Amino acid sequence: MLTMKGVKYMKVLKIENKKCYYSTNGNDYIKITDITKEDIYAILGIIYSTDDYLLDSVEEQTEIENDVERLIYINIYNQLQTFIENIETLKSEIHNELDELVQKYQLNEKETKMSNDEIGKKYMSSFPTEENIEVYNEKEMAGVGE
């Protein structure tokens, strides 16, 4: 974590000693060549949920020993920059879509008073059980379903 003017910033991409690193927690830095899809999703989540992050930019004159690290870093950096530039539009689209879903699937008053467990049990009960499947298969074999 890096502190500037009393605000702690998490550096998610960093270049140090001519090597490229990433972090998903602000403390542990891992070589950029070891980044996984899950790590990228974690970084996107950090960027989406907070403004307290930093990315080291890479310029032409920035020295990086390994060409593979440089290529990976530049590609990830550019994709993250595109995400950052479009984040307000994405948030707005998500918010609008959620509003539409809430309006479309407005729960009635009784359902809104149900606990999450009760709602889960109610909807899980609509899924087939082994017993229901056996009865269905027996009917199909006997030609009842036709």
Side-chain angles (χ1 to χ4, degrees), residues 45-136:
I46 292 164
I47 292 170
Y48 185 83
S49 63
T50 184
D51 292 330
D52 303 335
Y53 63 87
L54 294 172
L55 311 169
D56 281 349
S57 63
V58 60
E59 309 296 329
E60 255 332 287
Q61 67 274 14
T62 305
E63 287 189 54
I64 299 172
E65 287 179 351
N66 186 319
D67 288 339
V68 172
E69 281 184 27
R70 181 181 191 81
L71 181 63
I72 293 170
Y73 190 94
I74 289 171
N75 282 320
I76 292 173
Y77 177 86
N78 288 337
Q79 293 300 319
L80 292 178
Q81 283 301 116
T82 300
F83 182 74
I84 292 165
E85 290 167 10
N86 294 308
I87 202 160
E88 291 308 316
T89 303
L90 291 170
K91 285 182 178 182
S92 176
E93 288 174 3
I94 290 169
H95 179 73
N96 291 339
E97 207 166 304
L98 286 175
D99 282 349
E100 288 175 22
L101 289 173
V102 167
Q103 289 175 3
K104 184 175 181 180
Y105 297 105
Q106 190 69 37
L107 297 175
N108 65 33
E109 191 173 316
K110 180 183 175 194
E111 287 178 316
T112 57
K113 291 181 181 178
M114 294 173 70
S115 73
N116 287 340
D117 287 341
E118 292 171 320
I119 293 170
K121 287 177 185 173
K122 176 181 177 185
Y123 292 107
M124 289 302 288
S125 67
S126 66
F127 288 97
T129 62
E130 284 186 40
E131 184 178 308
N132 292 347
I133 292 171
E134 287 177 21
V135 169
Y136 175 79

